[in-house]
PDB file of all heavy atoms in Angstrom:
ATOM      1  N   ASP A 621     169.776 -76.670  87.237  1.00  0.00           N
ATOM      2  CA  ASP A 621     169.506 -78.085  87.287  1.00  0.00           C
ATOM      3  C   ASP A 621     170.823 -78.816  87.222  1.00  0.00           C
ATOM      4  O   ASP A 621     171.040 -79.853  87.933  1.00  0.00           O
ATOM      5  CB  ASP A 621     168.561 -78.573  86.182  1.00  0.00           C
ATOM      6  CG  ASP A 621     168.411 -80.034  86.154  1.00  0.00           C
ATOM      7  OD1 ASP A 621     167.784 -80.555  87.047  1.00  0.00           O
ATOM      8  OD2 ASP A 621     168.919 -80.719  85.164  1.00  0.00           O
ATOM      9  N   ALA A 622     171.714 -78.421  86.324  1.00  0.00           N
ATOM     10  CA  ALA A 622     173.061 -79.037  86.135  1.00  0.00           C
ATOM     11  C   ALA A 622     173.824 -78.968  87.500  1.00  0.00           C
ATOM     12  O   ALA A 622     174.451 -79.895  87.883  1.00  0.00           O
ATOM     13  CB  ALA A 622     173.759 -78.403  85.037  1.00  0.00           C
ATOM     14  N   LEU A 623     173.822 -77.696  88.072  1.00  0.00           N
ATOM     15  CA  LEU A 623     174.582 -77.481  89.267  1.00  0.00           C
ATOM     16  C   LEU A 623     174.075 -78.432  90.422  1.00  0.00           C
ATOM     17  O   LEU A 623     174.815 -79.053  91.160  1.00  0.00           O
ATOM     18  CB  LEU A 623     174.437 -76.070  89.803  1.00  0.00           C
ATOM     19  CG  LEU A 623     175.103 -75.032  88.913  1.00  0.00           C
ATOM     20  CD1 LEU A 623     174.794 -73.623  89.472  1.00  0.00           C
ATOM     21  CD2 LEU A 623     176.647 -75.224  88.831  1.00  0.00           C
ATOM     22  N   ARG A 624     172.693 -78.693  90.483  1.00  0.00           N
ATOM     23  CA  ARG A 624     172.179 -79.418  91.483  1.00  0.00           C
ATOM     24  C   ARG A 624     172.388 -80.898  91.257  1.00  0.00           C
ATOM     25  O   ARG A 624     172.889 -81.728  92.057  1.00  0.00           O
ATOM     26  CB  ARG A 624     170.617 -79.113  91.680  1.00  0.00           C
ATOM     27  CG  ARG A 624     169.810 -80.068  92.617  1.00  0.00           C
ATOM     28  CD  ARG A 624     168.400 -79.918  92.567  1.00  0.00           C
ATOM     29  NE  ARG A 624     167.957 -80.180  91.179  1.00  0.00           N
ATOM     30  CZ  ARG A 624     167.656 -81.268  90.714  1.00  0.00           C
ATOM     31  NH1 ARG A 624     167.939 -82.422  91.388  1.00  0.00           N
ATOM     32  NH2 ARG A 624     167.177 -81.447  89.415  1.00  0.00           N
ATOM     33  N   ARG A 625     172.002 -81.352  89.977  1.00  0.00           N
ATOM     34  CA  ARG A 625     171.950 -82.722  89.652  1.00  0.00           C
ATOM     35  C   ARG A 625     173.360 -83.437  89.450  1.00  0.00           C
ATOM     36  O   ARG A 625     173.648 -84.486  89.902  1.00  0.00           O
ATOM     37  CB  ARG A 625     171.188 -82.961  88.380  1.00  0.00           C
ATOM     38  CG  ARG A 625     170.892 -84.363  87.953  1.00  0.00           C
ATOM     39  CD  ARG A 625     169.904 -84.415  86.824  1.00  0.00           C
ATOM     40  NE  ARG A 625     170.173 -83.391  85.824  1.00  0.00           N
ATOM     41  CZ  ARG A 625     171.095 -83.559  84.807  1.00  0.00           C
ATOM     42  NH1 ARG A 625     171.730 -84.631  84.726  1.00  0.00           N
ATOM     43  NH2 ARG A 625     171.240 -82.506  83.996  1.00  0.00           N
ATOM     44  N   ILE A 626     174.249 -82.635  88.860  1.00  0.00           N
ATOM     45  CA  ILE A 626     175.579 -83.134  88.536  1.00  0.00           C
ATOM     46  C   ILE A 626     176.620 -82.632  89.620  1.00  0.00           C
ATOM     47  O   ILE A 626     177.527 -83.367  90.049  1.00  0.00           O
ATOM     48  CB  ILE A 626     176.052 -82.650  87.176  1.00  0.00           C
ATOM     49  CG1 ILE A 626     175.134 -83.170  86.090  1.00  0.00           C
ATOM     50  CG2 ILE A 626     177.507 -83.158  86.877  1.00  0.00           C
ATOM     51  CD1 ILE A 626     175.273 -82.676  84.765  1.00  0.00           C
ATOM     52  N   GLY A 627     176.425 -81.419  90.013  1.00  0.00           N
ATOM     53  CA  GLY A 627     177.440 -80.760  90.890  1.00  0.00           C
ATOM     54  C   GLY A 627     177.166 -80.953  92.389  1.00  0.00           C
ATOM     55  O   GLY A 627     177.996 -80.680  93.173  1.00  0.00           O
ATOM     56  N   GLY A 628     175.888 -81.296  92.681  1.00  0.00           N
ATOM     57  CA  GLY A 628     175.484 -81.337  94.073  1.00  0.00           C
ATOM     58  C   GLY A 628     175.498 -79.981  94.773  1.00  0.00           C
ATOM     59  O   GLY A 628     175.577 -79.931  96.001  1.00  0.00           O
ATOM     60  N   ILE A 629     175.227 -78.915  94.007  1.00  0.00           N
ATOM     61  CA  ILE A 629     175.219 -77.582  94.485  1.00  0.00           C
ATOM     62  C   ILE A 629     173.834 -77.022  94.315  1.00  0.00           C
ATOM     63  O   ILE A 629     173.250 -76.933  93.279  1.00  0.00           O
ATOM     64  CB  ILE A 629     176.156 -76.696  93.719  1.00  0.00           C
ATOM     65  CG1 ILE A 629     177.623 -77.300  93.813  1.00  0.00           C
ATOM     66  CG2 ILE A 629     176.119 -75.217  94.149  1.00  0.00           C
ATOM     67  CD1 ILE A 629     178.531 -76.600  92.813  1.00  0.00           C
ATOM     68  N   THR A 630     173.217 -76.664  95.499  1.00  0.00           N
ATOM     69  CA  THR A 630     171.905 -75.991  95.443  1.00  0.00           C
ATOM     70  C   THR A 630     172.110 -74.520  95.270  1.00  0.00           C
ATOM     71  O   THR A 630     172.730 -73.798  96.174  1.00  0.00           O
ATOM     72  CB  THR A 630     171.152 -76.275  96.779  1.00  0.00           C
ATOM     73  OG1 THR A 630     170.985 -77.732  96.875  1.00  0.00           O
ATOM     74  CG2 THR A 630     169.817 -75.596  96.687  1.00  0.00           C
ATOM     75  N   PHE A 631     171.702 -73.944  94.182  1.00  0.00           N
ATOM     76  CA  PHE A 631     171.898 -72.574  93.844  1.00  0.00           C
ATOM     77  C   PHE A 631     170.665 -72.067  93.107  1.00  0.00           C
ATOM     78  O   PHE A 631     170.132 -72.782  92.254  1.00  0.00           O
ATOM     79  CB  PHE A 631     173.184 -72.463  92.962  1.00  0.00           C
ATOM     80  CG  PHE A 631     173.892 -71.099  93.132  1.00  0.00           C
ATOM     81  CD1 PHE A 631     174.807 -70.945  94.074  1.00  0.00           C
ATOM     82  CD2 PHE A 631     173.533 -70.009  92.333  1.00  0.00           C
ATOM     83  CE1 PHE A 631     175.541 -69.807  94.215  1.00  0.00           C
ATOM     84  CE2 PHE A 631     174.241 -68.837  92.541  1.00  0.00           C
ATOM     85  CZ  PHE A 631     175.251 -68.699  93.469  1.00  0.00           C
ATOM     86  N   GLU A 632     170.232 -70.813  93.405  1.00  0.00           N
ATOM     87  CA  GLU A 632     169.126 -70.260  92.731  1.00  0.00           C
ATOM     88  C   GLU A 632     169.334 -70.136  91.222  1.00  0.00           C
ATOM     89  O   GLU A 632     170.522 -69.912  90.813  1.00  0.00           O
ATOM     90  CB  GLU A 632     168.828 -68.826  93.270  1.00  0.00           C
ATOM     91  CG  GLU A 632     168.159 -68.883  94.652  1.00  0.00           C
ATOM     92  CD  GLU A 632     166.806 -69.457  94.709  1.00  0.00           C
ATOM     93  OE1 GLU A 632     165.983 -69.160  93.812  1.00  0.00           O
ATOM     94  OE2 GLU A 632     166.592 -70.311  95.638  1.00  0.00           O
ATOM     95  N   PRO A 633     168.362 -70.377  90.387  1.00  0.00           N
ATOM     96  CA  PRO A 633     168.562 -70.153  88.918  1.00  0.00           C
ATOM     97  C   PRO A 633     169.206 -68.807  88.721  1.00  0.00           C
ATOM     98  O   PRO A 633     168.698 -67.792  89.169  1.00  0.00           O
ATOM     99  CB  PRO A 633     167.108 -70.273  88.336  1.00  0.00           C
ATOM    100  CG  PRO A 633     166.444 -71.085  89.327  1.00  0.00           C
ATOM    101  CD  PRO A 633     166.985 -70.855  90.651  1.00  0.00           C
ATOM    102  N   PRO A 634     170.269 -68.693  87.983  1.00  0.00           N
ATOM    103  CA  PRO A 634     171.022 -67.499  87.915  1.00  0.00           C
ATOM    104  C   PRO A 634     170.359 -66.487  86.931  1.00  0.00           C
ATOM    105  O   PRO A 634     169.371 -66.789  86.152  1.00  0.00           O
ATOM    106  CB  PRO A 634     172.311 -67.878  87.223  1.00  0.00           C
ATOM    107  CG  PRO A 634     171.913 -69.121  86.351  1.00  0.00           C
ATOM    108  CD  PRO A 634     170.921 -69.790  87.252  1.00  0.00           C
ATOM    109  N   GLU A 635     170.602 -65.207  87.119  1.00  0.00           N
ATOM    110  CA  GLU A 635     170.192 -64.183  86.170  1.00  0.00           C
ATOM    111  C   GLU A 635     170.747 -64.559  84.827  1.00  0.00           C
ATOM    112  O   GLU A 635     171.958 -64.955  84.716  1.00  0.00           O
ATOM    113  CB  GLU A 635     170.729 -62.828  86.620  1.00  0.00           C
ATOM    114  CG  GLU A 635     170.417 -61.691  85.615  1.00  0.00           C
ATOM    115  CD  GLU A 635     171.088 -60.309  85.946  1.00  0.00           C
ATOM    116  OE1 GLU A 635     171.646 -60.267  87.102  1.00  0.00           O
ATOM    117  OE2 GLU A 635     171.142 -59.546  85.086  1.00  0.00           O
ATOM    118  N   VAL A 636     169.939 -64.392  83.772  1.00  0.00           N
ATOM    119  CA  VAL A 636     170.373 -64.582  82.404  1.00  0.00           C
ATOM    120  C   VAL A 636     170.395 -63.225  81.733  1.00  0.00           C
ATOM    121  O   VAL A 636     169.402 -62.618  81.526  1.00  0.00           O
ATOM    122  CB  VAL A 636     169.529 -65.555  81.644  1.00  0.00           C
ATOM    123  CG1 VAL A 636     170.068 -65.743  80.203  1.00  0.00           C
ATOM    124  CG2 VAL A 636     169.497 -66.884  82.375  1.00  0.00           C
ATOM    125  N   VAL A 637     171.559 -62.739  81.315  1.00  0.00           N
ATOM    126  CA  VAL A 637     171.710 -61.459  80.690  1.00  0.00           C
ATOM    127  C   VAL A 637     171.216 -61.660  79.180  1.00  0.00           C
ATOM    128  O   VAL A 637     171.797 -62.488  78.485  1.00  0.00           O
ATOM    129  CB  VAL A 637     173.131 -60.924  80.632  1.00  0.00           C
ATOM    130  CG1 VAL A 637     173.306 -59.674  79.861  1.00  0.00           C
ATOM    131  CG2 VAL A 637     173.639 -60.727  82.102  1.00  0.00           C
TER     132      VAL A 637
END
Side-chain angles (χ1 to χ4, degrees):
D621 176 69
L623 293 176
R624 176 190 56 78
R625 184 172 45 84
I626 302 172
I629 302 169
T630 301
F631 210 89
E632 287 295 315
E635 173 189 349
V636 180
V637 176

